[in-house]
Amino acid sequence: RFVDSFQVSPRRAISYFCHQNSSSKYLCSLPSRVAFLHRCCINTSSPLQAVASSHHKEYNFTDMSLPSFQQRLASFREQLKAQNIACFIQSTADAHQSEYVCNRDKRMGFLSGFTGSAGTIVVTPTDAKLWTDGRYFLAANKQLSNEWSLMKQGLPDTPSVEKWIKDNVDGKVGIDPFLCSLSYYNRIKDALEGSKAELVLVEQNPIDGVWSAQQPPIPSSKVFVHELQYS
């Protein structure tokens, strides 16, 4: 999982491999885990480390050259108005439904400031909400500006994304067809049946319209073969 993401840090890799149940059938053998840690944390010539450090540096969403989060949200709402959209849904996933994405695909982070690996934002002309699970409640509270509301996913009093939209949105609900699975699209569409909200596919992601020229380029680093002995 960490290898495929190309965003592993030594501390994160060590934490992952040291805190997992060593008897789990999903883990590789202990020697293989040690070899992997050696490659990514100790061996400076490792292709994995080179890719992780030089091509996938963490994007700084608070860079002073970027508009403030308040300005980004205001510009985003202008994009929604121009596309005649009453509500927009954006998750952390990229076109491959990856949990750990490259900087160009960190749309949710750019708009909201939230950097967790799992979450969904819903924005209307008057509301901006983030759904995420218990791993990120503390982080989200620190990262979100006052314009945002944290929806603590999994708690009894927290409605699902589709339930909230069904109860609160009157108009078109936009979603990027390149960034959602067919099953997720059908789930939202079915949930909104009989409501005033209509799910539509956007031609251009409105977050990209705000990010514009400051959006990082598509990664162009070379693919390398991960040797069988470490798989």
Side-chain angles (χ1 to χ4, degrees):
R1 183 175 179 183
F2 284 100
V3 174
D4 288 342
S5 72
F6 298 128
Q7 296 183 56
V8 62
S9 67
R11 179 177 296 178
R12 195 170 189 182
I14 292 170
S15 175
Y16 177 73
F17 281 98
C18 290
H19 289 84
Q20 295 297 315
N21 181 352
S22 61
S23 64
S24 172
K25 65 180 180 180
Y26 298 108
L27 289 180
C28 55
S29 66
L30 180 59
S32 294
R33 280 182 274 161
V34 171
F36 170 77
L37 288 175
H38 177 77
R39 275 177 68 86
C40 71
C41 303
I42 302 172
N43 183 2
T44 57
S45 64
S46 165
L48 174 62
Q49 187 185 38
V51 171
S53 61
S54 64
H55 296 296
H56 289 272
K57 295 179 181 178
E58 191 67 27
Y59 188 83
N60 182 11
F61 294 111
T62 60
D63 191 295
M64 294 301 291
S65 66
L66 295 172
S68 69
F69 287 109
Q70 291 79 8
Q71 291 172 320
R72 293 176 218 179
L73 189 57
S75 298
F76 178 76
R77 284 173 167 150
E78 288 297 319
Q79 293 277 333
L80 296 187
K81 184 177 180 181
Q83 296 188 40
N84 192 28
I85 296 173
C87 171
F88 189 77
I89 306 170
Q90 177 70 54
S91 71
T92 50
D94 60 11
H96 307 283
Q97 297 301 291
S98 305
E99 183 177 356
Y100 299 98
V101 301
C102 69
N103 286 333
R104 182 179 179 82
D105 289 316
K106 294 180 179 179
R107 294 175 176 86
M108 190 178 69
F110 170 78
L111 190 62
S112 69
F114 174 67
T115 60
S117 66
T120 300
I121 56 174
V122 172
V123 180
T124 73
T126 57
D127 287 290
K129 298 186 178 296
L130 164 73
W131 275 258
T132 191
D133 60 62
R135 293 174 296 169
Y136 298 115
F137 289 170
L138 293 178
N141 273 321
K142 290 180 180 179
Q143 293 177 330
L144 295 175
S145 63
N146 293 333
E147 291 77 21
W148 290 84
S149 299
L150 173 60
M151 305 296 282
K152 295 183 176 180
Q153 190 175 319
L155 298 188
D157 296 334
T158 303
S160 64
V161 169
E162 52 267 38
K163 178 70 166 59
W164 188 89
I165 293 174
K166 184 175 182 178
D167 293 341
N168 293 277
V169 176
D170 182 356
K172 294 180 179 179
V173 178
I175 195 168
D176 190 328
F178 292 101
L179 303 177
C180 72
S181 65
L182 179 60
S183 60
Y184 185 74
Y185 170 83
N186 286 333
R187 190 181 92 196
I188 301 294
K189 186 174 183 294
D190 292 344
L192 299 182
E193 284 289 336
S195 71
K196 296 180 180 180
E198 175 193 2
L199 189 62
V200 297
L201 303 176
V202 299
E203 293 185 6
Q204 179 185 7
N205 192 305
I207 298 178
D208 293 352
V210 177
W211 213 346
S212 190
Q214 293 171 307
Q215 187 175 15
I218 296 172
S220 58
S221 54
K222 293 181 179 180
V223 174
F224 64 89
V225 175
H226 189 65
E227 298 173 29
L228 185 60
Q229 68 187 97
Y230 299 112
S231 66

